[in-house]
């Protein structure tokens, strides 16, 4: 069972385990369809939205939450309810502008603890719905219950380990089983890579003929550009000589991306277009006094945006040629100054209660987001090209709900189509969800990954005269002169790590009486860090090791083995007291600061 928890929409899908299903090309994935309020068409995702009561207790979810909220607003919100959408983007410690996640009613000003509660509540709703669907299906008389299910949740590739930990905690709070055997996390572009490698696609070109991702030739590589509502995640993979199957895909890029999803186009509409029409100061006031009407304007823009189509100019440049006509709610219209209403009426060709956005403005609003997406793709291409010439076919695959934007697709095809094959799966919106099911069925499909950071731990090493700072010099219980705060590197940024590989290292316990002690886990973009407190190094977690079995022995005999597994979606650490042979799987308590100091290339 896979859950794609997205900024705009979330869905779930599953596959039963059987001998026939073990063959990837025969594997059948069942998707759950949702119908928008008042809509006639279904979609494999529900709206990521939560309606809470006056005490902030969740009461409705998805499209039903939006319907109930709109009905409540029409009556002036007499029950003091709250409504939240796009709240996934408020999870990060370096969260984007507060206007992107939408908190209305009594949820205005929601902090990180409230956001975590909303995520857990939403996942709980998905969990219960999924279980009921599995139980109702029956599968030819074969009954399944909660104990028969392995779960997999998608996370953005740009998320740090702390955000992944929060998602795991929220999933467990929702009722899903704990432990990395029953509850997996997979990065969104990685799941999409698995899906695209198994699914035919469409070439993006002037004629757009049918095509498929080339996974037959060993050495062929492809970049996955996962364009969602909140983030764009990009990384690259290569086909190993055995073809697609067990351990056949290896990550050759370092995950890149940023807050560049379609929600930021909506934010540009508010910040640029509405600010131009109403005036920046007036808009600021209206966001407070008429927040629901501003939200309705944005919703109407979203409805229009999804259906827009770009056209190619004679010079090959995509552009949008159709103006956008958006109706203004009456209460908001009456709150505007008379001069503003007159100006808007003139711009709408004499039609009051309307905002007309010119094609040039629509294109400019999109380009604020699309331009950085293209630059990120270019940056990833250089990284992969620097790794050596392609041995097969170079390809770019576009997935995600934002991939439905013809302007985005055409801009990518224009920029890179002459250099690489640019493709899109037949249904880009379900690529991450379907791939997550394949990954949950067989995680071994991913052979290895590239480390995003240089990881290591805090330790003491022999003091180097003339090199190490004198302030870090100390003498241990055995009389050895050591240097504190040294960075013991375990994995270097960009290094390939097999998914099943465990990196082993060891250290000595400095004090004879210590029974337990904390090991600081650090990360940095540097390839050769010397000290854990140098610029760009961050403590990302703490591991408590048990060395009670060697108390009283000299430091030289108190050896602790530390095992790091970096090849998975999450970091797993295990310690072993070499004297007593006591092993403990360590839980890393990741900090909120992770990722806030230092950037790639600094």
């Amino acid at each position: 069972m896979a859950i794609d928890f997205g900024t705009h929409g979330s869905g779930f899908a599953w596959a039963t385990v059987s001998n026939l299903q073990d063959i990837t090309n025969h594997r059948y994935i069942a998707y759950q369809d949702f119908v928008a309020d008042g809509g006639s068409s279904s979609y494999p995702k529900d709206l990521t939205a939560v309606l809470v009561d006056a005490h902030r207790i969740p009461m409705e979810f998805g499209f039903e939450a939006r319907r109930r909220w709109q009905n409540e607003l029409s009556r002036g919100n007499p029950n003091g309810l709250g409504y939240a959408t796009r709240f996934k983007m408020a999870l990060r410690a370096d969260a984007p502008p507060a206007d992107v996640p939408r908190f209305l009613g009594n949820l205005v000003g929601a902090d990180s603890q409230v956001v975590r509660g909303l995520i857990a509540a939403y996942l709980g709703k998905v969990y219960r719905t999924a279980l009921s669907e599995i139980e109702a299906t029956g599968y030819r008389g074969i009954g399944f219950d909660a104990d028969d299910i392995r779960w997999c949740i998608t996370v953005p590739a740009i998320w740090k380990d702390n955000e992944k930990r929060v998602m795991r905690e929220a999933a467990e709070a929702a009722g899903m089983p704990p432990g990395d055997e029953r509850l997996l996390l997979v990065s969104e572009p990685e799941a999409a890579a698995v899906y695209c490698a198994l699914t035919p696609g469409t070439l993006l070109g002037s004629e757009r003929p049918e095509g498929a991702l080339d996974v037959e030739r060993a050495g062929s590589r492809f970049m996955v550009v996962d364009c969602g509502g909140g983030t764009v995640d990009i990384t690259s993979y290569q086909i190993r000589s055995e073809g697609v199957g067990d351990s056949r895909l290896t990550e050759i890029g370092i995950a890149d991306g940023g807050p560049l999803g379609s929600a930021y186009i909506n934010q540009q509409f508010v910040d640029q277009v509405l600010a131009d029409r109403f005036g920046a100061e007036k808009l600021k006031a209206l966001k407070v006094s008429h927040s629901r009407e501003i939200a309705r304007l944005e919703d109407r823009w979203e409805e229009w945006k999804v259906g827009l189509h770009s056209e190619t100019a004679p010079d090959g440049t995509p552009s949008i040629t159709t103006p956008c006509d958006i109706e203004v709610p009456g209460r908001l219209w009456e709150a505007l100054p008379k001069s503003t209403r007159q100006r808007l009426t003139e711009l709408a060709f004499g039609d009051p209660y309307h905002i007309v956005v010119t094609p040039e403005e629509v294109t400019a609003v999109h380009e604020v987001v699309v331009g950085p997406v293209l630059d990120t793709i270019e940056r990833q291409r250089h990284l992969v090209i620097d790794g050596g010439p392609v041995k097969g076919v170079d390809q770019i695959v576009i997935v995600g709900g934002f991939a439905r934007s013809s302007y985005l697709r055409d801009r990518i095809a224009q920029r890179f189509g002459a250099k690489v094959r640019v493709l899109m799966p037949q249904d880009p919106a379900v690529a991450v969800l379907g791939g997550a099911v394949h990954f949950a069925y067989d995680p071994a499909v991913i052979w290895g990954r590239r480390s995003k950071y240089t990881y290591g731990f805090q330790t003491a090493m022999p003091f180097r005269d003339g090199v190490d700072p004198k302030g870090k010099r100390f003498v241990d219980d055995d009389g050895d002169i050591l240097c504190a705060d040294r960075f013991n590197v375990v994995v270097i940024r960009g290094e390939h790590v097999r998914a099943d590989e465990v990196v082993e290292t060891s250290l000595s316990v400095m004090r004879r009486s210590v029974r337990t002690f904390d090991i600081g886990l650090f990360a940095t973009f540097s390839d050769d860090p010397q000290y854990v407190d140098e610029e760009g190094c961050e403590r990302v977690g703490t591991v408590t090791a048990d060395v009670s079995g060697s108390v009283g022995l000299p430091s030289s005999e108190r050896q602790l083995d530390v095992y790091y597994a970096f090849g998975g979606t999450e970091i797993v650490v295990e310690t072993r007291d070499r004297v007593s042979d006591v092993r403990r799987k360590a839980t890393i308590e990741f900090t909120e600061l992770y990722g806030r100091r230092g950037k790639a290339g600094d």
Side-chain angles (χ1 to χ4, degrees):
M1 176 73 70
I3 297 175
D4 182 14
F5 178 66
T7 302
H8 180 264
S10 300
F12 64 90
W14 69 90
T16 58
V17 178
S18 67
N19 291 336
L20 181 60
Q21 291 273 75
D22 286 344
I23 305 172
T24 55
N25 292 337
H26 292 173
R27 189 172 298 152
Y28 172 74
I29 297 176
Y31 296 93
Q32 176 70 17
D33 286 332
F34 300 89
V35 178
D37 44 349
S40 58
S41 60
S42 60
Y43 187 66
K45 289 187 177 182
D46 200 358
L47 189 67
T48 306
V50 179
L51 180 71
V52 302
D53 64 18
H55 304 288
R56 287 186 168 182
I57 298 175
M59 53 189 295
E60 291 292 350
F61 303 87
F63 290 118
E64 179 61 20
R66 183 173 70 178
R67 186 191 68 78
R68 290 271 310 265
W69 172 246
Q70 290 174 342
N71 289 341
E72 184 77 5
L73 282 181
S74 67
R75 298 184 294 117
N77 194 18
N79 298 308
L81 305 185
Y83 179 73
T85 60
R86 303 194 304 233
F87 48 88
K88 172 183 174 181
M89 293 304 295
L91 180 60
R92 296 191 61 175
D94 54 346
D99 287 336
V100 173
R102 183 187 293 177
F103 299 106
L104 301 174
N106 67 31
L107 285 176
V108 171
D111 59 19
S112 62
Q113 286 301 115
V114 173
V115 171
R116 295 181 186 199
L118 293 173
I119 292 174
Y122 193 92
L123 289 178
K125 172 63 174 178
V126 176
Y127 173 73
R128 295 188 296 272
T129 303
L131 284 182
S132 66
E133 288 296 322
I134 289 291
E135 293 170 357
T137 302
Y139 280 101
R140 298 172 183 160
I142 303 175
F144 295 99
D145 58 30
D147 293 335
D148 300 317
I149 301 174
R150 172 192 278 168
W151 297 84
C152 180
I153 300 178
T154 64
V155 294
I158 65 170
W159 269 15
K160 307 301 188 292
D161 296 287
N162 178 63
E163 284 106 43
K164 295 176 186 177
R165 177 182 62 83
V166 171
M167 284 301 297
R168 180 173 287 279
E169 291 176 349
E172 293 176 6
M176 297 178 208
D180 52 14
E181 292 297 323
R182 295 282 308 283
L183 178 59
L184 308 177
L185 299 183
V186 64
S187 73
E188 291 164 0
E190 188 166 89
V194 175
Y195 178 87
C196 294
L198 300 172
T199 306
T202 302
L203 287 170
L204 300 181
S206 58
E207 300 178 0
R208 299 187 179 178
E210 290 301 312
L213 186 70
D214 190 326
V215 295
E216 301 301 325
R217 278 178 278 188
S220 293
R221 61 194 183 195
F222 63 97
M223 180 192 303
V224 175
V225 182
D226 178 22
C227 308
T231 62
V232 170
D233 291 310
I234 301 175
T235 192
S236 301
Y237 299 85
Q238 192 159 36
I239 308 298
R240 302 184 69 230
S241 59
E242 296 84 350
V244 177
D246 289 352
S247 303
R248 303 302 185 251
L249 292 178
T250 181
E251 186 181 34
I252 58 173
I254 297 178
D256 200 352
L260 299 169
S262 59
Y264 291 88
I265 294 180
N266 294 358
Q267 190 59 36
Q268 287 299 318
F269 164 75
V270 174
D271 293 342
Q272 290 188 11
V273 176
L274 295 188
D276 174 77
R277 299 304 193 270
F278 301 156
E281 290 302 316
K282 182 63 176 178
L283 175 61
K284 184 178 180 180
L286 290 172
K287 285 182 178 181
V288 177
S289 63
H290 292 69
S291 60
R292 62 189 183 191
E293 285 79 14
I294 296 296
R296 286 180 184 175
L297 276 182
E298 188 178 342
D299 288 339
R300 289 168 181 171
W301 158 264
E302 168 69 21
E303 294 170 1
W304 183 91
K305 181 191 70 176
V306 170
L308 73 84
H309 293 281
S310 65
E311 297 183 8
T312 303
D315 63 356
T317 302
S319 63
I320 297 168
T321 59
T322 304
C324 170
D325 191 340
I326 299 176
E327 184 179 355
V328 180
R331 185 170 177 267
L332 178 60
W333 182 265
E334 297 302 327
L336 298 174
K338 181 178 180 180
S339 59
T340 300
R341 296 199 301 267
Q342 290 176 340
R343 176 171 174 260
L344 293 180
T345 301
E346 293 174 0
L347 293 174
F349 308 103
D351 194 0
Y353 296 93
H354 282 266
I355 292 176
V356 173
V357 189
T358 68
E360 293 76 18
E361 288 178 305
V362 176
T363 301
V365 165
H366 278 73
E367 197 59 31
V368 169
V369 174
V370 172
V373 171
L374 299 179
D375 293 339
T376 307
I377 295 174
E378 190 71 64
R379 187 165 62 238
Q380 179 78 190
R381 285 197 72 245
H382 284 304
L383 174 66
V384 173
I385 291 172
D386 290 344
V390 63
K391 300 176 183 177
V393 180
D394 236 350
Q395 303 158 105
I396 293 177
V397 187
I398 311 170
V399 302
F402 189 16
R404 292 179 295 170
S405 166
S406 64
Y407 182 75
L408 172 66
R409 298 196 307 266
D410 289 346
R411 286 285 279 124
I412 293 176
Q414 175 206 20
R415 176 90 167 257
F416 303 103
K419 306 172 185 177
V420 298
R421 297 175 75 230
V422 183
L423 305 98
M424 181 177 71
Q426 293 178 351
D427 193 346
V430 302
V432 171
L433 180 56
V437 176
H438 286 299
F439 180 82
Y441 197 105
D442 180 18
V445 67
I446 300 296
W447 179 83
R449 300 172 175 87
R450 292 186 71 175
S451 180
K452 292 166 61 176
Y453 306 95
T454 295
Y455 286 99
F457 59 90
Q458 182 179 14
T459 188
M461 296 182 182
F463 189 84
R464 300 171 296 185
D465 288 320
V467 177
D468 294 324
K470 293 182 179 180
K472 297 184 181 298
R473 183 181 183 275
F474 75 99
V475 181
D476 69 1
D477 288 352
D478 294 339
D480 295 324
I481 302 175
L482 302 174
C483 175
D485 300 329
R486 287 295 305 275
F487 195 120
N488 191 321
V489 174
V490 178
V491 172
I492 299 175
R493 170 177 164 82
E495 183 177 350
H496 276 99
V497 182
R498 287 180 53 181
D500 59 353
E501 181 178 355
V502 176
V503 180
E504 180 180 351
T505 187
S506 62
L507 54 87
S508 299
V509 182
M510 297 295 100
R511 304 301 180 187
R512 298 187 181 189
S513 61
V514 169
R515 303 181 67 85
T516 64
F517 70 99
D518 293 337
I519 304 173
L521 180 66
F522 287 78
T524 178
F525 283 110
S526 172
D527 293 335
D528 186 28
Q530 295 297 307
Y531 310 99
V532 298
D533 55 359
E534 65 188 47
E535 182 67 27
C537 292
E538 292 188 51
R539 178 188 288 265
V540 298
T542 301
V543 176
T544 301
D546 184 345
V547 290
S548 57
S550 60
V551 172
L553 295 177
S555 297
S556 59
E557 299 179 26
R558 300 197 73 189
Q559 295 294 309
L560 182 74
D561 294 325
V562 187
Y563 307 92
Y564 294 83
F566 289 95
T569 309
E570 301 169 276
I571 300 174
V572 178
V573 180
E574 186 176 25
T575 61
R576 169 181 172 264
D577 186 337
R578 199 178 290 179
V579 173
S580 63
D581 199 34
V582 173
R583 293 175 178 265
R584 289 183 59 181
K585 193 172 226 183
T587 299
I588 300 176
E589 297 181 358
F590 290 102
T591 68
E592 291 283 357
L593 296 177
Y594 192 20
R596 297 181 66 182
R597 288 170 46 198
K599 297 181 180 179
D602 286 356

